[in-house]
Every structure is written in structure tokens, then in C-alpha cells.
Amino acid sequence: MLIAVMLLCTIAMAEPAARKRKKVAVVLSGGGAKGMAHIGVLKVLEEAGIPIDIITGTSMGSIVGGLYAIGYNADALDSVARAQDWSYVITDRDDQRKLSLNNVRKNYTYALSTVLGGGKRKLEPGGLIKGKNLAELFDKLCVGYTDSLNFSRDLPIPFACVATDIIKYEEYDFHSGRLPQAMRASMAIPAVFSPVRIDSCVLVDGGMRNNFPVDIARKMGADIVIGISVHDHPKSVSDVWGTMSVLSQIVDANTKNKFDENKAATDVYMYVDPDGYGAASFSAAAIDTLIRRGEEEARRHWDELIALKKRIGVSPSFRPKLLHPYQPEKVADDDEAFNAKKLSRFYAGFRFDSEEYAALQLGLDVPLQKPIPMNTELTLRLGKRLLARGEVTFLPRSFTRPKLSFTFLRNDIDVYINGDRDYNIQYNQFQSEFTPFNFDLRHFNFQLGLRWDYLHYRNKLGSESSQQMSLINEHYFSYRARINYNSENDWIFPTRGARFNAEYVYLTDDFARLEARSADGESSTRKLGLSDVNADWRMSFTFGDRFTLQPMFYGRLLFGPVLPLVFANTIGGDYFGHYIEQQMPFAGLGCMEYVDRHFVAAQLQAQQRIGDNNYLLFRFAGAQHAEDIKNLLDRHTLLGAQLAYYYKTVIGPVGATLGYCNRTKEPYFFVNLGYEF
């Protein structure tokens, strides 16, 4: 009995002592990518054994703080930050891994893509970026905490974050609601990310009213506050000189609201200098540096942190138990749920090069459910090569997706011989194709169909001795089988994966044969159609994390007694099918030239990445061609080389190429801005 009484007294005495431990809050400022430094500070706080009872944050501070509050310790946050493809996350692009090859191709054709439709996941307009990918990332990371919650009662660590209501221009503090939505609203930089609408409020970045919410932590019961700020240095007059710097200064000026009084209310204040980095510095190198700077700043306060433990009321050896993120047995793939209901989408692309000058291409995808499920695609290209295309893909509940398309092309083509222009030909091409068998699998597409081409020749310009095609209008029917495979991680600057395309075409003008005209055009006979076999295969082998070798093999073989000149082999330029469908690239040759019926080539490209988005490319190519395949190795070998520099931007690659080949025996220079189309 005496022992029981003593035990009860001990427990009674221990409870007040336990309640005497002071509550510690960590406050994380906004700052975009600069807020990655918060992760480094949290690592040192964990190492020092500082208990964290409350977290508040703004913008990036709300993201780091919100995830920490639901169990992501500092090491887990470090892994999450480094694992993301931020160039994808902070855009509205679709996840390439979940798309058909046709839709992936659009990601490397158009600079702008925007959803026109709605649904349950309707995204509000009001910014350049709707934040679709950010919202989906937050939903995934916050799994288990995506319902409407009380952030002080329902989260492992009480949490609050700040947004700004631009209707009343008032601070909007999140203490409850959907955590992913609160984080998304807190970092919605005005005009960059679309705002979040809740009831009558239109919410944007909380930094506009309270970028360092120490006052909120105090209201939540914090006895001791550790604050971390990553704000930029004040700008001078000479720093504010352009549109973006003026906008940046306006944002910076607004983020100073309440900052001085909040800073004064901290017990330990840490400032991580972000010099050299900005709100959009999401490169791997920048993230690594910012996290390291956060650690270094926290270690400069090490003695202060150890001394703080006594004020808190814990022993020097105290170590709080680290939390871990919730791991459900099976997580629903939110991307698949989102993509299950396809939305109307508008695309726009712009390019400039030194051959064709400016060009604009627009695209529109419209899904239809009635009378049967189908997807309609419209494409319009304006420039030297005019194109208008309509395509309908039927979506029955079967393995194949039949496709019907009609295309109009207005071609204006210069043809060269050994580097000298031979002639210019202008013609309209009307093309209709029915593909009853169209099968998609991840990275793979197979098509089998029938196509009709009508060629209406408009004009030709060249010397009398030039090799010119006839201006007699023609029509053709062709049977086509195509295989396309692409597992490359980037279609322009790949570092892993492979690409393989192969096609067989049987060309006729009456579904079975081709008409062969005499030299004077007075007589003709019917002969077998033209068989066209073409393929290309590219692989990528990376050494280290910056240097990649890419061998490529390609060619086109034509069999048959009749060869219409409009379908003959042509080479030149950097791209397949750029000027005309059968065009093949060749390093060092900038213009389009005809070659013999049978053409095979090999190319080796060395790709060196410099920094994050700069690429230096060297290509060397060799080829053989002949009229008769058995004489393929008898001809003089074509050789070419080129050196290129490109900078990877959100609107496509920007750069220049210098090349030389033994066919033209003269260098060529090519400038490109934007994606190829």
C-alpha cells in the first residue's frame, strides 16, 4: 500500500514538471526555391535535439513546414526535393510516362499547352501556370492528410500557413482545411501561378502580407520561436532596370510587411544568404547549395541551440523522436484518375531558323463522347510551309483505336545539287489517311492503314538543265505499316533510352500498280508499285552524369520499276521529314538534295551537358547510296560533321550549328530557336 501511494505521488509530481517544458515553434519564410535552405536548418535542429511543437510558414516555407508537420523528417524532405523533376513540376505539362507517343511528341513540339475544359479538378485561370502538376504532387505527398482537417488537432505537429486574399487584400491564415490546397494557395505567386478560390476569397502567395509568420506561431502558444529567413538583399537603384526587376522589387517590398516586428519576436533568428540564387533556382546544383547553406547557417548557431535546450526544459542529451511520412499499402494513382476524363487542350508553338525564318503552329484537342467516344485534333501551321490538318481518333472499348485524318500542305521547296540550288518547286498536297489498326502500348505504337495523296503543282523555277519534276498533277494510293518505339527520357537531349521507327509503304496510283510514262510523255504502261522500306534507330549511352554518346543508324530503300520524283530519297538538315516526308538528316549538309534509290547511313553524336541547360554537340556521319542495292558499297562515301551549341529553354532549344560535308565541300551555318515542327 505504501509503495502504491509513493508511486502515485511520484507521478503527480512528474506531471507538472513535464508540463513545464516550453513549446517550441519553427517559422519558415517564403522565397521560392531559396526555401530549400529550410531543409538544411531542420537537419541541424534534429541533430541538436531541439523539439518542434509548432510549425508555421509562408510560400515555400508552407510546403517544407506542412510536409514536416505530417511526418517528413529532414532527410525525407531532402530526398523529396532532389527526386523531383522541377522543370516538370512547376509547369502544366503532362507526365510523359503516362502518355501515348503522339501526346509525348506534342510536349516536344509546342511551347504552350493549356487546358480549356473543366470537371471536378477544374483549374482556375489567372496565371501563366495553372499549377496542375504542383497540385497533384502535393496530393501525393500529403496522402493520408488530404481530407478537410484541423491543422492543430489532426496533424502530428500543429501547423499553420499564410495566403493573401487579393479581393480584400487581407492576410488569410490556414489553420484548417485541405492541407495540399493550403500549401498550393500559400505559394501562388501572383500572375505566375493561378490563384486558389475558396468561397468568396481569391488567394495568392502569403508573402504579400506576412512572409515570416512569427506572430501566428505566438498566437498558437509558442513560448520559444526559431525563425529562418531566406529573403533577398535590398535592391539599389541600379538593380531595378527592367520589367522583371521592377516586378521583383514590387513583390519584395510587399513581403516586408510585419517582417521587422516578427523578426524581433524570435528567440533564435537565422538568415540563410541566397546570394546567386532566385525564386526559380530549382536546378540540382542550386538545391544542393541552398540546403548546404541552410546547414552551415544553423551550425553557426550551434552553441545557441544547445543553450536553448535548457530554456526549453529538456536535458542536453534529449533527442525528440523523428516522425516518418505515412506509407499506405496502396496509393491510388491520382494522375490516372485525372487523365481518365480527357480535357480539351490548346497548344501553341513558335520557331525561328535561318532557313525558313519564322513559323507558328497551333493545335487543338477536343474530346467528344457522342455519338461515340472519339478525340478530334486540329493543327494549323503558318509560315513558308503551310499546313492544315484534322484528325479523328475513335476510342472503342478494344485494343485498336481507328483513325481518320485529312491534311493540306502548301510546299515551297528548294532542291540542291552538290550545294548549288537546282530548282524551286511549289505545290499543294492533299492527303487523306484511314488507319483501322492503331495500337498503343507504353513507348510503342503500331499502325496499319491506307492513304490517298493528290499533288497539285503550282510553279517551278530553275534552269532548263535542272532535274525538275513534271508539273502534271498526280494522285497516289499507298498501303502503310508503321512501328514507332521511343523510351528516351528527352527527345531532344536524351541521356538514356532508345528510339526505333520503321515503315513499309507500297505506293500505287490504282491500288495495285503505277503508271510509267515515256520520256516524251506520249505513252505509258502499267507496272508494279513502289516498295518503300525505311527505318531509324538511335540509342543513348551516358558516361558520368554529363557526357552521352548516341549512335544512330538509318536509311531508306526503294524497290520497283517506277519512281515518282516527288517520292525519291532526299537528305539534308538536322531533322527527319522537316521539308518533305521522306527527308533524312545528314550531318554537315544544310540544304536538301536528292540521292539514289538505296541510302543507308550511320551517325555518332557526342553530347556534353555544361551546367544545367547548356549542351555542346558534335556529330559525325557517313553514308552510302546507289541506284542498285548490290552496288551500294561501290560509290564514294558521303562524310559529314557538325558542331552545335544549344541552350534548353521552356520554348525549345536555342542555338547554332556549324557543319561541313564532302558533298558540298563548303561549310554551312544554321541558327535555330524553338521546337522543330
Side-chain angles (χ1 to χ4, degrees), residues 384 408-413 424-430 455-461 470-473:
K384 185 178 180 181
F408 168 76
L409 297 126
R410 183 172 182 175
N411 296 313
D412 185 348
I413 298 170
N424 170 269
I425 182 75
Q426 298 176 359
Y427 62 96
N428 296 333
Q429 184 172 0
F430 301 87
L455 305 173
H456 176 258
Y457 296 99
R458 298 168 47 236
N459 190 25
K460 66 179 181 180
L461 180 63
S470 167
L471 291 189
I472 300 175
N473 296 335

Side-chain angles (χ1 to χ4, degrees), residues 34 109 117-118 125 291 307 354 386 442 461 465 471 520 530 532 547:
K34 296 174 292 181
T109 301
I291 292 176
S354 51
L386 183 66
R442 185 179 181 185
L461 180 63
S465 60
L471 291 189
D520 57 10
L530 177 71
D532 170 359
F547 182 75

Side-chain angles (χ1 to χ4, degrees), residues 415-470:
V415 180
Y416 290 74
I417 295 180
N418 297 327
D420 297 320
R421 191 170 78 160
D422 186 38
Y423 66 93
N424 170 269
I425 182 75
Q426 298 176 359
Y427 62 96
N428 296 333
Q429 184 172 0
F430 301 87
Q431 190 179 93
S432 182
E433 184 167 3
F434 176 54
T435 309
F437 195 87
N438 176 31
F439 175 69
D440 277 304
L441 196 60
R442 185 179 181 185
H443 304 316
F444 174 85
N445 174 260
F446 176 71
Q447 297 182 12
L448 188 66
L450 172 68
R451 194 169 87 186
W452 170 74
D453 287 271
Y454 178 72
L455 305 173
H456 176 258
Y457 296 99
R458 298 168 47 236
N459 190 25
K460 66 179 181 180
L461 180 63
S463 63
E464 293 184 1
S465 60
S466 65
Q467 180 189 13
Q468 298 186 42
M469 62 183 68
S470 167

Side-chain angles (χ1 to χ4, degrees), residues 548-576:
T548 305
L549 284 178
Q550 296 164 348
M552 181 170 71
F553 305 92
Y554 61 100
R556 186 169 183 248
L557 308 177
L558 302 175
F559 303 93
V562 182
L563 173 58
L565 189 59
V566 72
F567 294 113
N569 281 332
T570 62
I571 61 171
D574 289 351
Y575 313 107
F576 285 94

Side-chain angles (χ1 to χ4, degrees), residues 13 92 150 165 196 275 283 319 341 352 387 412 414 470 498 621 631 649 653:
M13 293 173 64
D92 291 326
N150 182 306
D165 179 7
V196 173
D275 186 42
S283 68
R319 292 291 183 275
K341 181 178 174 65
F352 172 89
L387 174 145
D412 185 348
D414 292 325
S470 167
N631 299 326
T649 75

Side-chain angles (χ1 to χ4, degrees), residues 212-505:
F212 192 44
V214 175
D215 53 334
I216 296 177
R218 292 291 187 188
K219 291 176 183 177
M220 293 173 67
D223 300 304
I224 293 175
V225 173
I226 300 172
I228 303 99
S229 174
V230 293
H231 64 266
D232 288 322
H233 297 290
K235 291 183 175 66
S236 64
V237 174
S238 59
D239 294 327
V240 183
W241 56 270
T243 303
M244 293 308 297
S245 60
V246 170
L247 178 61
S248 176
Q249 176 61 14
I250 293 172
V251 173
D252 289 347
N254 276 276
T255 60
K256 292 179 181 178
N257 288 316
K258 302 166 67 171
F259 178 80
D260 291 336
E261 52 265 42
N262 277 330
K263 177 182 175 183
T266 60
D267 294 274
V268 178
Y269 174 72
M270 301 183 196
Y271 171 62
V272 182
D273 189 348
D275 186 42
Y277 298 99
S281 298
F282 285 102
S283 68
I287 291 172
D288 182 72
T289 300
L290 289 164
I291 292 176
R292 187 181 69 251
R293 287 186 185 181
E295 289 188 59
E296 292 169 350
E297 172 63 15
R299 292 196 185 282
R300 282 192 282 270
H301 292 264
W302 181 264
D303 292 340
E304 190 177 357
L305 293 173
I306 298 302
L308 186 65
K309 295 176 74 173
K310 185 175 181 180
R311 286 182 56 195
I312 295 170
V314 296
S315 68
S317 60
F318 175 80
R319 292 291 183 275
K321 182 180 179 181
L322 295 182
L323 300 175
H324 298 279
Y326 174 64
Q327 296 291 342
E329 293 183 3
K330 184 177 181 181
V331 180
D333 192 331
D334 196 53
D335 285 323
E336 291 182 1
F338 180 73
N339 289 326
K341 181 178 174 65
K342 208 170 155 47
L343 304 176
S344 297
R345 187 176 288 271
F346 171 76
Y347 302 91
F350 169 83
R351 68 173 281 107
F352 172 89
D353 66 48
S354 51
E355 294 288 334
E356 296 184 286
Y357 303 106
L360 173 70
Q361 183 161 304
L362 306 174
L364 180 65
D365 287 2
V366 181
L368 301 172
Q369 296 299 319
K370 296 179 180 179
I372 60 174
M374 66 180 72
N375 189 65
T376 303
E377 298 183 22
L378 303 174
T379 306
L380 176 65
R381 182 176 65 215
L382 304 174
K384 185 178 180 181
R385 296 174 297 119
L386 183 66
L387 174 145
R389 177 181 173 87
E391 180 177 290
V392 177
T393 302
F394 301 96
L395 307 174
R397 295 182 178 274
S398 64
F399 67 94
T400 184
R401 297 184 173 186
K403 184 168 61 175
L404 181 64
S405 66
F406 180 81
T407 305
F408 168 76
L409 297 126
R410 183 172 182 175
N411 296 313
D412 185 348
I413 298 170
D414 292 325
V415 180
Y416 290 74
I417 295 180
N418 297 327
D420 297 320
R421 191 170 78 160
D422 186 38
Y423 66 93
N424 170 269
I425 182 75
Q426 298 176 359
Y427 62 96
N428 296 333
Q429 184 172 0
F430 301 87
Q431 190 179 93
S432 182
E433 184 167 3
F434 176 54
T435 309
F437 195 87
N438 176 31
F439 175 69
D440 277 304
L441 196 60
R442 185 179 181 185
H443 304 316
F444 174 85
N445 174 260
F446 176 71
Q447 297 182 12
L448 188 66
L450 172 68
R451 194 169 87 186
W452 170 74
D453 287 271
Y454 178 72
L455 305 173
H456 176 258
Y457 296 99
R458 298 168 47 236
N459 190 25
K460 66 179 181 180
L461 180 63
S463 63
E464 293 184 1
S465 60
S466 65
Q467 180 189 13
Q468 298 186 42
M469 62 183 68
S470 167
L471 291 189
I472 300 175
N473 296 335
E474 305 168 297
H475 74 269
Y476 297 94
F477 300 98
S478 56
Y479 306 92
R480 296 173 177 267
R482 306 184 188 97
I483 296 176
N484 299 311
Y485 172 84
N486 196 317
S487 63
E488 293 178 333
N489 61 328
D490 188 299
W491 283 22
I492 301 176
F493 304 110
T495 57
R496 65 177 182 272
R499 181 188 77 189
F500 176 74
N501 301 300
E503 183 180 36
Y504 173 75
V505 178

